[in-house]
Amino acid sequence: MLFRSWAQTADAHWPDVARVRDHVGVAHLVVTRHALVREVLTDPATYRPDNALDAVTPIPVAALRVLAGHRFRLPPTLANNGGASHPAIRAIVADALHPTRVAAQRPWLTDLVRERVGGIAATLDAGGAVDLYARLAADLPLLVLARLVELPDAPVGAVKEFARAALELFWAPLDAERQQALAAEVGRFHRVLREFAATGGGLAGSLRAAGHPPDVVVGALFFLLVAGQETTSQFLTLLLHRLTGEPAVLAGLRDGTVAVADVVEEGLRLEPPIVTWRRVAAVDTTLGGTAVPAGTSIVLWLARAGRDPSTVDAPDEFRPGQRGSRRHLAFGAGAHRCVGDQLARMEAAVVVAETAPLLDGVSVLREPWCPDNLTFRMPDAFVVRRR
């Protein structure tokens, strides 16, 4: 269940809080109710973020040696930082992703998406098949992020491989051989990030100027290149796939009775790319009537919380604008709420507005497939053709 939780969100038989053991025998407390998930996320004193980036499969010595050879370190920086340095680091990142700066990227992104949609439409009109992940969704968030935080011109393919390798290394059930291969991939890119962190401008320069040490600069860039672009790429793929099965929503977008922003929010509620997130109990406490000893690993089932019938009228139906649609926890809540939420929303809105007409009348040749993972969906190819 833990590693394919997106396939079980509509199962009505889960309790509010459940004890589950993972593939290596570690016990976790899985929280399913919206109110309880939010309670944990907004109480960092009782439920700390220290384990947010811990590898769910313990990394063996051989893989650790590979990481050490690349001087790999992930100090508490953003998602796993419950210390006093978090607000200052977050403020600098938030400034780089400020809504005003995000909005300024919209015309450029719209032009780029229109150009791509035009090419995709030509292929479809000619009877060809198109992979909407590869042709549209895969690299768009990275290209936008690079402009906002002034990343160097790294090959897109290399960044994508690194990001997906990191998501697998830290959040997937793995064997030792695979862990060693992933450690080599992640370690190599970490070395590149260290070089950029020492001399780069934009966000890296702002963090250095504020007096943050090199490891913190690298850690912030590392997390952004995963959470700041790979998750949005995943969401775009999942949302486009969902829309191919929602003809009434596509018709509403076409005639203006359905708002693009409402479609994005309903997509975030029903198809979030991040399905769970972790916390660790700092003290002995009680959650939903369940005793929680200090040190307990807590898995917050964000995707299921989005379908909580106490917060939304039709939990399993795609109804843009319905009551409770925007109360999802796809971006988390509290002090560690996703700092790039407005960026992700803007990107998704542009893609939905420009791509929706394209989705009318297509058939799905290959649905996106998602590998086993505790937290991330990581969909791959999504192939369509005109009917």
Side-chain angles (χ1 to χ4, degrees), residues 164-380:
R164 291 178 77 90
L167 295 183
E168 188 178 353
L169 179 61
F170 292 104
W171 285 279
L174 301 167
D175 60 34
E177 183 178 355
R178 181 61 178 162
Q179 285 174 298
Q180 193 161 341
L182 291 168
E185 177 74 25
V186 170
R188 281 193 298 270
F189 199 85
H190 191 269
R191 187 187 298 269
V192 173
L193 284 181
R194 281 204 314 277
E195 294 170 0
F196 173 66
T199 59
L203 177 61
S206 297
L207 288 166
R208 287 198 314 274
H212 294 291
D215 278 350
V216 166
V217 182
V218 174
L221 292 171
F222 185 98
F223 188 70
L224 272 181
L225 283 173
V226 174
Q229 61 88 23
E230 183 61 31
T231 53
T232 307
S233 162
Q234 294 172 24
F235 175 55
L236 296 177
T237 306
L238 295 166
L239 179 56
L240 292 176
H241 176 243
R242 180 71 187 229
L243 287 175
T244 60
E246 301 288 346
V249 175
L250 290 175
L253 286 168
R254 186 170 59 247
D255 64 25
T257 58
V258 172
V260 169
D262 288 341
V263 170
V264 171
E265 296 304 321
E266 191 72 338
L268 287 164
R269 183 181 73 81
L270 283 170
E271 302 290 350
I274 299 177
V275 288
T276 70
W277 203 245
R278 281 176 291 173
R279 288 290 184 265
V280 60
V283 296
D284 292 343
T285 187
T286 302
L287 183 64
T290 299
V292 183
T296 299
S297 168
I298 299 171
V299 175
L300 304 171
W301 199 347
L302 306 178
R304 189 172 176 86
R307 297 176 186 240
D308 190 329
S310 69
T311 63
V312 65
D313 287 336
D316 300 318
E317 297 179 25
F318 199 102
R319 294 187 185 178
Q322 69 168 310
R323 181 193 68 85
S325 179
R326 292 173 179 263
R327 292 186 63 193
H328 61 77
L329 297 169
F331 295 116
H336 286 82
R337 177 182 170 83
C338 175
V339 73
D341 59 342
Q342 294 306 308
L343 174 59
R345 285 183 163 111
M346 185 276 285
E347 292 169 333
V350 169
V351 169
V352 168
E354 299 299 326
T355 310
L358 198 72
L359 300 178
D360 262 335
V362 301
S363 58
V364 176
L365 298 184
R366 186 187 185 284
E367 296 186 352
W369 176 80
C370 302
D372 288 1
N373 198 284
L374 175 67
T375 292
F376 299 93
R377 293 282 299 272
M378 296 178 66
D380 61 357

Side-chain angles (χ1 to χ4, degrees), residues 76-160:
T77 304
L78 289 169
N80 62 338
N81 188 356
S85 66
H86 177 254
I89 298 169
R90 180 183 170 89
I92 294 172
V93 176
D95 186 61
L97 304 180
H98 191 277
T100 302
R101 301 192 72 217
V102 167
Q105 300 301 318
R106 189 170 191 136
W108 170 83
L109 179 61
T110 300
D111 288 344
L112 177 59
V113 173
R114 282 179 181 169
E115 179 183 349
R116 292 189 177 187
V117 167
I120 291 168
T123 301
L124 293 173
D125 291 343
V130 175
D131 180 353
L132 291 179
Y133 169 74
R135 290 276 295 269
L136 183 63
D139 66 340
L140 280 178
L142 175 57
L143 297 176
V144 180
L145 184 68
R147 291 166 64 94
L148 285 168
V149 304
E150 298 180 31
L151 292 173
D153 293 329
V156 169
V159 177
K160 298 298 290 186

Side-chain angles (χ1 to χ4, degrees), residues 13-37:
H13 303 298
W14 275 88
D16 294 355
V17 179
R19 296 190 186 278
V20 177
R21 288 192 179 275
D22 65 20
H23 62 305
V24 294
V26 175
H28 305 272
L29 206 62
V30 178
V31 185
T32 69
R33 296 290 286 185
H34 183 282
L36 295 179
V37 171

